Amino acid sequence: MLIVTGATGHLGSLIVNRLLERVPADRIGVSVRDVSKAADLTERGVRVRAGDFTEPDSLKHAFEGAERVLVVSAAIRGGGALTANSAAIDAAREAGAQRILYTSHQAASPVSLFPPQQVHAATEEHLKRQGVPYTALRNGFYASALGYYIGAALETGTLAVPQDGPVSWTAHEDVAEAAAFALAEDGALEGVTPPLTAPHALDFADVADVLSRITGRTVTRVVMDDDEWTSAAVAGGMPRSAAEFSLTMFAASRNGEFNATDPTLEATIGHPAKTVHEVLETVLRSR
């Protein structure tokens, strides 16, 4: 059985939908914290079981009969994410999985200025030590994150954020398709993958240009001092901890951590990756 964790989340649900296009539903199992939110998958014939990374014993039942397990990285800040990811990987190994896959990031590094990349790097090391064939899917930076920063720009015509650098903004839909392929196909994307990214890296000046083309009004990119931006974000209602966390993303991007692109994603999915223009059009339609 092919097991996907976090199957009611944004990425996990997309992966399961793509997987259903490749294999019969009775070959797919999902691990979710709240089974009531996966009723649609049950109706489609997918095995749905409760599993929580923070309660490792629950994963024994969720992963029962696993041939391969795809661990969608835990959305927890701090050291808890590494503990949770490691628990899921351990449970997959104990369930007898013949391959363990993990959704990592193209900038995974123990010295990254963006803390989640340190977690991904440590999780990859834990995965490698299990003695089980594995795949670390080094996904590009999720383009949907741009939605957090463009709201004011749509109202004022000014995209005012800290100094940044090029980022390989990549759509969830594309990396989900690659993950489903890697889970379903024998020998696909073994080991640590190349960066699974769209073909272009854009900075926020480029994003402002894209917004201008989509909206038909000029959007100007303005560089803000880090402290000034943090204060403005907090004044606008963002918790200080969230603002300071976001600032680490800008610091990492201007350090060049996300300025990597590679053709592997498009070669794997067999069609062009979504562009930032396409992703932002979708974001704006949903507002």
Side-chain angles (χ1 to χ4, degrees), residues 265-283:
L265 176 62
E266 291 187 330
T268 299
I269 63 179
H271 59 78
K274 286 182 178 292
T275 64
V276 167
H277 191 287
E278 292 173 304
V279 172
L280 288 182
E281 282 186 322
T282 301
V283 169

Side-chain angles (χ1 to χ4, degrees), residues 183-200:
L183 185 59
E185 300 297 325
D186 293 338
L189 297 175
E190 295 183 347
V192 177
T193 69
L196 299 175
T197 70
H200 305 292

Side-chain angles (χ1 to χ4, degrees), residues 203-226:
D203 62 17
F204 271 90
D206 298 319
V207 172
D209 290 341
V210 172
L211 287 174
S212 297
R213 292 196 296 273
I214 293 173
T215 63
R217 62 175 296 193
T218 299
V219 177
T220 303
R221 193 268 195 264
V222 174
V223 177
M224 294 183 71
D225 174 80
D226 287 359

Side-chain angles (χ1 to χ4, degrees), residues 1-4 15-29 44-46 67-68 180-181 183-186:
M1 183 161 279
L2 308 179
I3 308 293
V4 180
I15 293 171
V16 174
N17 285 335
R18 283 298 192 175
L19 196 58
L20 282 163
E21 297 172 359
R22 292 184 170 274
V23 300
D26 60 8
R27 282 198 64 203
I28 304 171
R44 296 169 73 180
V46 173
E67 176 187 352
R68 299 170 190 155
F181 174 82
L183 185 59
E185 300 297 325
D186 293 338

Side-chain angles (χ1 to χ4, degrees), residues 44 66 82 88 99 123 150 189 205 228 249 256 272:
R44 296 169 73 180
L82 175 58
R99 175 172 293 279
T123 302
I150 65 173
L189 297 175
E228 179 187 7
M249 185 274 287

